[in-house]
Amino acid sequence: MTEPVFKSMSEEKKLADKRLEQHYLSDLLKKVDQRLLEINEAIEGKSNEIAEMHKHMQDHKRDMDFLEKNAMREVIRNYSLLGNHSVENRKRLIRLKDTAFFGRIDFLDQKEETVNNLYIGVHNFQDTESRKNLVSDWRAPISSLFYDFELGEAFYKIKDRQIDGTILLKRQFRIRNGVMEYMLDTDLTIHDEVLQKELNQASSSKMKNIVATIQKEQNAIIRNENARHLIIQGVAGSGKTSIALHRIAFLLYRFKETITSEDILIISPNKVFASYISNVLPELGEESVAETSIEEVADELLEYQIKFQTFFEQVAELLEKKDQKLIERIEFKSSQALISKIDEYYVWLQNEGFKITDIRVKGKLVPSWFIRETFEKYNRMPLLKRFNEVVREIVENVFRFYKIEVQYKDRTELHTTIRKMFPSYNPRVLYKGFYQWLGRPELLKLKKGSTYEWSDVYAFLYFKMKLEGIKANKKVKHLVIDEMQDYSIVQYKVLSSLYPCRKTILGDINQSVNPFSSSNMDTIEKVFPSAESMTMLKSYRSTYEITQFTKRISQNVKVEALERHGKEPLIIPCKNKDAELEEVKKLIADFEKSEFNSLGIITKTQKQANILYELLSPLFKINLLNAISVSFGSGIVITTAHLSKGLEFDQVIVPHCTNKNYQSDTDRQMLYVACTRTMHELYLTHIGAASQFILKE
């Protein structure tokens, strides 16, 4: 006879609660299906009507007058806009069918003395009959309760009004493809068990949204409405880029009347990274935003007239050559000292460089003091823009005092005469003159084909901006600058003038791939003194063991490791090159048998990556990422530490971890970046002496 199964009261309640939640989910999905059906019918109806109107216009184009045609075109346009809006709503509903909601809060409103049962998801969904919100958007003010408070007293703000009350219940769910996988009651901000479940998943070829696991400190960054400029220093794996993208989604929701996705620009490190993050905003129900690079910004400002080395090429040169003079050039041209010296040179050009003499126009004397006074009268204008004003005033005064009109040909000659008093009217010539004036002509070293070194590009743009001015980009209302540590104070000076809008600036000083031109928070705050700065110390990407290992490499980093445990990083000594290659092959074979999705093989230089690819690609399906790559896929990827920044893999192999290959400060940074890309497992191989950076003290 089978023993009776007895359940405790708490277990009975859990089962009853789960049945109720399953019923709520089923009822919600039915309503979503009904709304989808209505929207599909509406889209089909609008499409048919538009097709009919187009046919009517085609059939009666000779009979309709201009006003009738315009009126019908306007109707067609409005119907198309309605159709587009319906298509966007359909996309949101399809996402809702998949994930529905991830949280529930029961909130007792202190003033109203009513309990709100609030379900939180990626999108808002309202019952058309009762007008009640069945799911609230994660960005809604009331949804902040889910992220910011435990059970007990809590509040949320709507504009300037604070709503006080008590959280009676807090529940978390995981729903995939409309199926409830689990349900947890918690008294914590985000239950650690939920976070662990999410972090233990295998990686994806696209960055995922994290709305279900946003932490309290992350939520404060996302919902910061007041900071004009927000600077975020976040350790590797702290989710800073994801938080910046969620912040964009929040701002688009909060200020939907004044800002759209077309008003936002992201400066990202490369096309691969841009591709990797491209999925986040669409997942959150927002359109993708424009993305550019620091090189593309420079190209536009220089009107594509000047050839220059890229940042990637500069870093490659630093890693492959130990050129102390190159380092010296980079350090100077990335410093406040350069800005100060260019400012001094600019003053010298105005006072000493402009060799003014008396001139004659149509036989009439124009004294040098008049030219000097006129030139100085326009001292608020960029230097090279003032010459036109000087010529204009000379022409006006010749007419006023002598009643002589200066014609086009004579005016052109006058322009030439005035400009000849100045060293040059060409900014490139004047920029070269700056280093001669400085007594350091060797600091300007052009590459083959009159190509500027990367360190010269923004130094020249800063100087050119003073000479000619810069047209501010007013179209961009919010600028996101990622990998902030890789931009110098000189670059920030140019960017601050070019984009006078609000900014979110984020990065990690410990992940600089060129320490000779990098910036920290203090440097950036000097350019944006009104900025609000925030620090993220907790790493969510790697296991506890990997995080503790990477702290050995970059000893100055302050990082809080999450208590998610896994395998210790494995350092594999090899006898020779063949043995090392065999170890890498074995690790790849093990990966292919595992449940993991991605393996990153990360080298220091592109040359090393290329050689490994040539050796391994005949045996395995492998993707090589280089400077011209535009996307990041799952599977096996060979790339450099530089290009891997911001990406993450289930497993990482770092070959060539010798003391010779990783010995300088730049090498240390590269090794740190490479090792912090992994989520679950890390392997390092070496021949001979291992790098001092990975050895235990």
Side-chain angles (χ1 to χ4, degrees):
M1 186 174 174
T2 308
E3 289 288 324
V5 178
F6 295 98
K7 291 188 174 71
S8 67
M9 289 291 287
S10 62
E11 286 175 322
E12 287 284 0
K13 186 178 183 309
K14 282 180 183 176
L15 286 170
D17 284 349
K18 189 165 186 180
R19 282 194 293 268
L20 286 171
E21 296 295 11
Q22 290 277 16
H23 179 74
Y24 187 88
L25 176 61
S26 298
D27 192 46
L28 171 69
L29 292 177
K30 285 176 187 174
K31 287 181 167 65
V32 171
D33 281 335
Q34 180 58 36
R35 190 77 59 82
L36 272 169
L37 184 65
E38 292 166 4
I39 281 181
N40 285 333
E41 287 174 354
I43 290 171
E44 188 178 352
K46 288 283 185 294
S47 298
N48 291 338
E49 287 183 57
I50 289 170
E52 283 293 322
M53 283 187 279
H54 275 302
K55 185 176 184 304
H56 179 82
M57 283 184 71
Q58 190 65 29
D59 292 345
H60 298 87
K61 59 185 176 183
R62 293 183 179 177
D63 304 332
M64 297 173 72
D65 62 23
F66 177 74
L67 291 174
E68 285 178 305
K69 286 179 181 176
N70 267 3
M72 187 159 279
R73 285 193 188 104
E74 186 64 21
V75 172
I76 291 171
R77 194 180 78 85
N78 289 335
Y79 270 44
S80 297
L81 289 173
L82 284 170
N84 291 340
H85 182 66
S86 296
V87 169
E88 286 304 313
N89 279 341
R90 183 168 64 185
K91 286 179 184 176
R92 286 188 172 92
L93 289 169
I94 290 168
R95 289 190 197 101
L96 199 66
K97 262 180 70 72
D98 180 32
T99 55
F101 49 82
F102 54 80
R104 173 181 166 180
I105 291 281
D106 288 2
F107 181 68
L108 173 62
D109 190 307
Q110 183 178 296
K111 188 176 180 182
E112 301 292 333
E113 296 186 346
T114 55
V115 176
N116 293 317
N117 305 125
L118 176 76
Y119 287 83
I120 302 163
V122 174
H123 305 303
N124 183 75
F125 184 75
Q126 193 176 72
D127 188 340
T128 49
E129 293 176 8
S130 66
R131 311 303 296 173
K132 180 188 174 186
N133 268 358
L134 300 180
V135 180
S136 292
D137 193 298
W138 67 278
R139 297 167 290 186
I142 194 170
S143 299
S144 64
L145 292 166
F146 180 73
Y147 300 111
D148 290 343
F149 294 98
E150 301 168 11
L151 295 182
E153 292 184 3
F155 66 86
Y156 67 96
K157 291 181 178 180
I158 298 179
K159 296 181 179 177
D160 297 327
R161 191 162 61 95
Q162 182 168 305
I163 313 297
D164 296 296
T166 306
I167 295 176
L168 305 174
L169 173 80
K170 189 167 184 181
R171 188 167 282 166
Q172 291 173 257
F173 309 88
R174 183 174 183 191
I175 297 168
R176 292 290 181 272
N177 300 316
V179 176
M180 189 181 295
E181 295 181 1
Y182 61 73
M183 177 190 95
L184 291 167
D185 283 0
T186 176
D187 60 351
L188 301 174
T189 309
I190 297 294
H191 199 291
D192 187 54
E193 189 176 341
V194 174
L195 190 57
Q196 294 283 3
K197 283 176 183 287
E198 295 299 320
L199 294 174
N200 277 318
Q201 288 185 81
S203 67
S204 165
S205 61
K206 297 283 187 183
M207 182 181 281
K208 295 172 281 194
N209 80 69
I210 58 165
V211 286
T213 56
I214 292 169
Q215 305 295 287
K216 185 175 181 178
E217 69 274 12
Q218 296 173 330
N219 195 44
I221 296 170
I222 290 168
R223 292 177 187 263
N224 188 321
E225 299 176 21
N226 301 318
R228 178 163 179 77
H229 306 306
L230 189 63
I231 303 171
I232 307 164
Q233 159 62 36
V235 296
S238 59
K240 52 192 173 292
T241 301
S242 187
I243 293 306
L245 293 169
H246 285 67
R247 174 167 159 76
I248 288 173
F250 172 76
L251 294 173
L252 289 170
Y253 174 89
R254 174 69 181 82
F255 301 105
K256 58 174 73 81
E257 303 302 324
T258 56
I259 189 169
T260 70
S261 57
E262 292 180 354
D263 302 323
I264 295 172
L265 179 66
I266 299 176
I267 297 179
S268 62
N270 53 63
K271 295 294 180 189
V272 171
F273 184 67
S275 166
Y276 178 56
I277 67 174
S278 64
N279 208 45
V280 176
L281 285 170
E283 272 189 10
L284 297 172
E286 300 294 345
E287 292 179 23
S288 295
V289 300
E291 169 275 329
T292 190
S293 68
I294 197 76
E295 287 94 349
E296 287 172 329
V297 171
D299 250 337
E300 285 187 25
L301 289 174
L302 296 169
E303 298 176 333
Y304 304 92
Q305 298 297 308
I306 294 176
K307 291 184 287 184
F308 56 81
Q309 177 190 45
T310 65
F311 180 56
F312 179 86
E313 289 166 342
Q314 183 198 68
V315 172
E317 187 175 1
L318 280 168
L319 292 171
E320 289 165 11
K321 302 175 187 174
K322 303 301 179 188
D323 187 339
Q324 195 56 45
K325 288 184 178 178
L326 171 62
I327 292 170
E328 186 183 348
R329 291 196 297 274
I330 292 170
E331 285 182 325
F332 176 66
K333 292 169 190 176
S334 306
S335 68
Q336 178 61 48
L338 172 106
I339 292 170
S340 300
K341 287 298 178 185
I342 283 180
D343 291 348
E344 283 180 37
Y345 178 55
Y346 184 78
V347 172
W348 181 86
L349 282 173
Q350 293 177 90
N351 298 334
E352 308 295 330
F354 196 11
K355 307 290 187 185
I356 303 171
T357 59
D358 294 345
I359 62 171
R360 291 189 174 274
V361 177
K362 305 289 283 185
K364 302 300 181 183
L365 178 69
V366 178
S368 60
W369 62 263
F370 175 80
I371 298 171
R372 170 62 67 185
E373 278 189 6
T374 306
F375 181 72
E376 290 176 353
K377 186 167 77 172
Y378 293 98
N379 63 355
R380 290 185 179 275
M381 291 181 71
L383 198 152
L384 296 184
K385 300 278 185 179
R386 294 189 221 169
F387 296 125
N388 289 342
E389 300 304 317
V390 171
V391 169
R392 184 181 56 76
E393 290 223 9
I394 290 172
V395 169
E396 286 179 2
N397 277 276
V398 166
F399 182 76
R400 182 182 299 125
F401 292 109
Y402 302 115
K403 304 301 179 193
I404 296 174
E405 191 168 336
V406 181
Q407 298 299 321
Y408 177 80
K409 183 185 175 185
D410 296 317
R411 194 174 296 197
T412 303
E413 286 179 5
L414 177 57
H415 270 285
T416 304
T417 302
I418 296 294
R419 288 178 182 180
K420 280 183 177 177
M421 297 178 189
F422 201 66
S424 175
Y425 200 67
N426 184 331
R428 291 190 70 173
V429 173
L430 292 171
Y431 181 66
K432 183 179 179 181
F434 163 65
Y435 293 100
Q436 292 165 341
W437 170 85
L438 200 61
R440 300 289 306 278
E442 74 280 3
L443 286 177
L444 181 63
K445 186 176 181 182
L446 296 181
K447 293 187 167 294
K448 189 178 179 181
S450 298
T451 301
Y452 275 144
E453 290 184 323
W454 174 245
S455 57
D456 277 301
V457 178
Y458 275 82
F460 173 66
L461 278 170
Y462 176 76
F463 181 51
K464 190 171 184 288
M465 184 173 77
K466 293 185 75 69
L467 291 174
E468 299 180 337
I470 192 168
K471 187 179 179 182
N473 187 328
K474 297 290 179 67
K475 188 180 180 298
V476 176
K477 293 180 182 175
H478 197 104
L479 180 71
V480 178
I481 303 175
D482 206 347
E483 302 296 347
M484 66 179 188
Q485 71 281 355
D486 287 334
Y487 306 126
S488 69
I489 189 171
V490 181
Q491 290 169 319
Y492 280 114
K493 281 282 190 181
V494 175
L495 292 175
S496 69
S497 296
L498 181 61
Y499 301 106
C501 59
R502 291 174 177 266
K503 298 173 186 69
T504 300
I505 304 169
L506 58 139
D508 177 17
I509 188 59
N510 300 295
Q511 293 185 63
S512 168
V513 293
N514 180 0
F516 311 114
S517 64
S518 62
S519 294
N520 54 29
M521 286 176 81
D522 291 340
T523 307
I524 301 166
E525 283 168 352
K526 286 175 185 173
V527 183
F528 307 105
S530 62
E532 191 175 324
S533 299
M534 306 182 89
T535 303
M536 298 167 67
L537 295 176
K538 190 173 285 187
S539 176
Y540 299 95
R541 178 184 296 136
S542 304
T543 61
Y544 179 86
E545 289 75 14
I546 292 167
T547 302
Q548 292 302 108
F549 177 83
T550 57
K551 284 167 77 173
R552 292 212 307 257
I553 300 170
S554 188
Q555 295 173 342
N556 296 326
V557 65
K558 293 178 181 177
V559 57
E560 296 172 16
L562 199 71
E563 290 288 335
R564 180 173 71 86
H565 290 279
K567 291 169 65 174
E568 287 282 350
L570 188 60
I571 301 171
I572 305 170
C574 307
K575 290 183 179 179
N576 51 44
K577 287 182 180 180
D578 290 340
E580 185 173 35
L581 185 63
E582 286 306 311
E583 283 292 345
V584 172
K585 288 178 185 176
K586 182 177 176 297
L587 291 169
I588 293 173
D590 290 344
F591 161 76
E592 291 187 324
K593 295 172 193 169
S594 75
E595 295 180 354
F596 292 129
N597 292 333
S598 63
L599 168 66
I601 303 172
I602 305 177
T603 61
K604 188 178 87 169
T605 69
Q606 191 64 52
K607 282 183 180 178
Q608 291 170 348
N610 294 344
I611 291 168
L612 260 181
Y613 178 73
E614 289 296 321
L615 293 169
L616 295 170
S617 58
L619 305 171
F620 305 97
K621 186 179 178 182
I622 293 179
N623 297 310
L624 175 68
L625 295 188
N626 53 33
I628 60 171
S629 298
V630 294
S631 64
F632 170 64
S634 55
I636 306 164
V637 173
I638 296 181
T639 188
T640 62
H642 183 182
L643 284 177
S644 73
K645 279 202 305 179
L647 305 178
E648 63 184 24
F649 303 88
D650 291 320
Q651 295 180 328
V652 162
I653 302 169
V654 185
H656 317 313
C657 272
T658 64
N659 211 23
K660 184 179 179 182
N661 197 33
Y662 289 103
Q663 57 175 303
S664 68
D665 285 341
T666 309
D667 298 338
R668 181 199 290 267
Q669 302 275 60
M670 290 294 181
L671 187 57
Y672 178 76
V673 170
C675 293
T676 53
R677 297 308 94 203
T678 186
M679 296 168 64
H680 307 296
E681 295 179 7
L682 175 63
Y683 303 94
L684 305 96
T685 65
H686 67 92
I687 303 164
S691 170
Q692 58 183 319
F693 303 135
I694 61 173
L695 298 175
K696 289 184 180 179
E697 291 182 356

